[in-house]
Amino acid sequence: MEKRSIAAILSFSVVAVFFMFTVLLIHPFGNPVSTEMDDDIISNAQTDTGANNAVTSVVFDYRGFDTLGEATVLFTAVAGVVMLFRRIKK
Amino acid sequence: MSGMSKIVKTITSISIPFILIYGLYVIAHGHLTPGGGFQGGAIFASGLVMVLVAYGSVWTMEKIKEKNLTMLESLGAFCFILIAFLGLVFGTVFFNNYLVGSNSIFGTVPAAGSGLADINTAGVIPLMNFAVGLKVIAGLFAIVLVMAYAISKKEEK
């Protein structure tokens, strides 16, 4: 076996062992550590924003800046693709 | 003659209104049901891409220029930021929901608790949904149309 593949297998197994220990330390599903913000949004979203869909009220109202960033990412992607595939007129 | 066979074109023509109306429904009801501007815009753009596949990119490019699509996308982005800035003018902060509680359009607040609400709720959220939906429709379709046209031109010549 080459030295390169032995080194690859060794580094892969070290990283895999670290990942396994990380998975064992993950908090159990369904029991979040702090629930203050979730409870506040769930109980107040309807009266704050008037939207029945709490997810949309988070996306477009509480976290509006995040949506602005997403829209900017899409805008930049479209601008890049259209610029890349534009027709060059002679 | 570009595009696929007559069967595919006929089936596309029959089923395209339902797909587009469903996409518009998801955008318009973003504050009531699951979905919103991004998701409904993706559905609408997928319907347009079906037309593109069935009828060919050259035919589609003759009907819808990419220039108009990029203009629509910029218009959607501009409307989104404008609505956010109007929160600074009429309300207190950037992205303020200034229409909630007022008697204007989209102004009513639904009764607390789970239940049905009418579409005239949620303040600026439906307006932002429409702006983002327009942006996603034009943006996604512009990407696919430009790429397909760049490939097809090489094959036909």
Side-chain angles (χ1 to χ4, degrees), chain B residues 110-127:
Chain B
S114 64
L116 298 175
D118 60 29
I119 200 168
N120 194 20
T121 53
V124 298
I125 292 176
L127 301 174

mmCIF file of all heavy atoms in Angstrom, chain B residues 110-127:
data_model
loop_
_atom_site.group_PDB
_atom_site.id
_atom_site.type_symbol
_atom_site.label_atom_id
_atom_site.label_comp_id
_atom_site.label_asym_id
_atom_site.label_seq_id
_atom_site.Cartn_x
_atom_site.Cartn_y
_atom_site.Cartn_z
ATOM 1 N N PRO B 110 -56.144 38.888 13.261
ATOM 2 C CA PRO B 110 -57.054 37.768 13.513
ATOM 3 C C PRO B 110 -57.189 37.509 15.012
ATOM 4 O O PRO B 110 -56.351 37.923 15.808
ATOM 5 C CB PRO B 110 -56.370 36.595 12.807
ATOM 6 C CG PRO B 110 -54.939 36.960 12.796
ATOM 7 C CD PRO B 110 -54.884 38.442 12.655
ATOM 8 N N ALA B 111 -58.261 36.807 15.381
ATOM 9 C CA ALA B 111 -58.472 36.439 16.776
ATOM 10 C C ALA B 111 -57.356 35.500 17.217
ATOM 11 O O ALA B 111 -56.922 34.634 16.458
ATOM 12 C CB ALA B 111 -59.827 35.768 16.943
ATOM 13 N N ALA B 112 -56.889 35.682 18.457
ATOM 14 C CA ALA B 112 -55.778 34.871 18.951
ATOM 15 C C ALA B 112 -56.193 33.414 19.061
ATOM 16 O O ALA B 112 -57.354 33.098 19.279
ATOM 17 C CB ALA B 112 -55.312 35.389 20.301
ATOM 18 N N GLY B 113 -55.225 32.525 18.921
ATOM 19 C CA GLY B 113 -55.500 31.106 18.962
ATOM 20 C C GLY B 113 -55.583 30.534 17.569
ATOM 21 O O GLY B 113 -55.615 31.256 16.579
ATOM 22 N N SER B 114 -55.598 29.213 17.497
ATOM 23 C CA SER B 114 -55.654 28.575 16.194
ATOM 24 C C SER B 114 -57.027 28.751 15.590
ATOM 25 O O SER B 114 -58.027 28.808 16.288
ATOM 26 C CB SER B 114 -55.333 27.090 16.323
ATOM 27 O OG SER B 114 -56.322 26.474 17.094
ATOM 28 N N GLY B 115 -57.058 28.853 14.271
ATOM 29 C CA GLY B 115 -58.323 29.034 13.596
ATOM 30 C C GLY B 115 -58.112 29.679 12.255
ATOM 31 O O GLY B 115 -56.972 29.940 11.851
ATOM 32 N N LEU B 116 -59.193 29.909 11.557
ATOM 33 C CA LEU B 116 -59.099 30.478 10.229
ATOM 34 C C LEU B 116 -59.021 31.988 10.311
ATOM 35 O O LEU B 116 -59.583 32.609 11.205
ATOM 36 C CB LEU B 116 -60.307 30.063 9.389
ATOM 37 C CG LEU B 116 -60.459 28.566 9.143
ATOM 38 C CD1 LEU B 116 -61.752 28.302 8.407
ATOM 39 C CD2 LEU B 116 -59.286 28.049 8.356
ATOM 40 N N ALA B 117 -58.304 32.580 9.368
ATOM 41 C CA ALA B 117 -58.268 34.032 9.240
ATOM 42 C C ALA B 117 -58.490 34.368 7.782
ATOM 43 O O ALA B 117 -58.178 33.569 6.908
ATOM 44 C CB ALA B 117 -56.924 34.581 9.706
ATOM 45 N N ASP B 118 -59.039 35.564 7.523
ATOM 46 C CA ASP B 118 -59.213 35.918 6.117
ATOM 47 C C ASP B 118 -57.905 36.473 5.567
ATOM 48 O O ASP B 118 -56.927 36.661 6.292
ATOM 49 C CB ASP B 118 -60.389 36.893 5.936
ATOM 50 C CG ASP B 118 -60.167 38.166 6.713
ATOM 51 O OD1 ASP B 118 -59.016 38.533 6.915
ATOM 52 O OD2 ASP B 118 -61.172 38.786 7.101
ATOM 53 N N ILE B 119 -57.917 36.747 4.263
ATOM 54 C CA ILE B 119 -56.656 37.100 3.598
ATOM 55 C C ILE B 119 -56.261 38.532 3.892
ATOM 56 O O ILE B 119 -55.124 38.925 3.667
ATOM 57 C CB ILE B 119 -56.806 36.843 2.090
ATOM 58 C CG1 ILE B 119 -55.448 36.704 1.429
ATOM 59 C CG2 ILE B 119 -57.602 37.942 1.425
ATOM 60 C CD1 ILE B 119 -55.520 36.173 0.050
ATOM 61 N N ASN B 120 -57.181 39.304 4.474
ATOM 62 C CA ASN B 120 -56.945 40.735 4.685
ATOM 63 C C ASN B 120 -56.242 40.980 6.024
ATOM 64 O O ASN B 120 -56.618 41.845 6.784
ATOM 65 C CB ASN B 120 -58.284 41.471 4.629
ATOM 66 C CG ASN B 120 -58.104 42.949 4.500
ATOM 67 O OD1 ASN B 120 -57.055 43.403 4.099
ATOM 68 N ND2 ASN B 120 -59.124 43.701 4.868
ATOM 69 N N THR B 121 -55.202 40.191 6.329
ATOM 70 C CA THR B 121 -54.507 40.316 7.596
ATOM 71 C C THR B 121 -53.007 40.475 7.347
ATOM 72 O O THR B 121 -52.556 40.491 6.206
ATOM 73 C CB THR B 121 -54.734 39.069 8.463
ATOM 74 O OG1 THR B 121 -54.381 37.925 7.707
ATOM 75 C CG2 THR B 121 -56.172 38.959 8.894
ATOM 76 N N ALA B 122 -52.242 40.607 8.419
ATOM 77 C CA ALA B 122 -50.782 40.464 8.442
ATOM 78 C C ALA B 122 -50.003 41.666 7.927
ATOM 79 O O ALA B 122 -48.800 41.575 7.792
ATOM 80 C CB ALA B 122 -50.320 39.213 7.708
ATOM 81 N N GLY B 123 -50.643 42.807 7.653
ATOM 82 C CA GLY B 123 -49.874 44.012 7.369
ATOM 83 C C GLY B 123 -49.033 43.930 6.108
ATOM 84 O O GLY B 123 -49.532 43.598 5.037
ATOM 85 N N VAL B 124 -47.746 44.224 6.235
ATOM 86 C CA VAL B 124 -46.900 44.305 5.040
ATOM 87 C C VAL B 124 -46.431 42.937 4.579
ATOM 88 O O VAL B 124 -45.793 42.835 3.527
ATOM 89 C CB VAL B 124 -45.672 45.201 5.282
ATOM 90 C CG1 VAL B 124 -46.096 46.601 5.593
ATOM 91 C CG2 VAL B 124 -44.802 44.645 6.376
ATOM 92 N N ILE B 125 -46.688 41.867 5.337
ATOM 93 C CA ILE B 125 -46.165 40.550 4.970
ATOM 94 C C ILE B 125 -46.679 40.091 3.605
ATOM 95 O O ILE B 125 -45.894 39.615 2.780
ATOM 96 C CB ILE B 125 -46.453 39.521 6.089
ATOM 97 C CG1 ILE B 125 -45.635 39.873 7.323
ATOM 98 C CG2 ILE B 125 -46.125 38.130 5.634
ATOM 99 C CD1 ILE B 125 -45.902 38.989 8.495
ATOM 100 N N PRO B 126 -48.004 40.223 3.277
ATOM 101 C CA PRO B 126 -48.437 39.827 1.923
ATOM 102 C C PRO B 126 -47.792 40.661 0.824
ATOM 103 O O PRO B 126 -47.438 40.127 -0.233
ATOM 104 C CB PRO B 126 -49.955 40.045 1.958
ATOM 105 C CG PRO B 126 -50.312 40.019 3.361
ATOM 106 C CD PRO B 126 -49.159 40.570 4.110
ATOM 107 N N LEU B 127 -47.606 41.969 1.082
ATOM 108 C CA LEU B 127 -46.960 42.802 0.058
ATOM 109 C C LEU B 127 -45.531 42.347 -0.187
ATOM 110 O O LEU B 127 -45.069 42.240 -1.331
ATOM 111 C CB LEU B 127 -46.974 44.268 0.511
ATOM 112 C CG LEU B 127 -48.347 44.865 0.763
ATOM 113 C CD1 LEU B 127 -48.225 46.252 1.344
ATOM 114 C CD2 LEU B 127 -49.120 44.924 -0.531
#
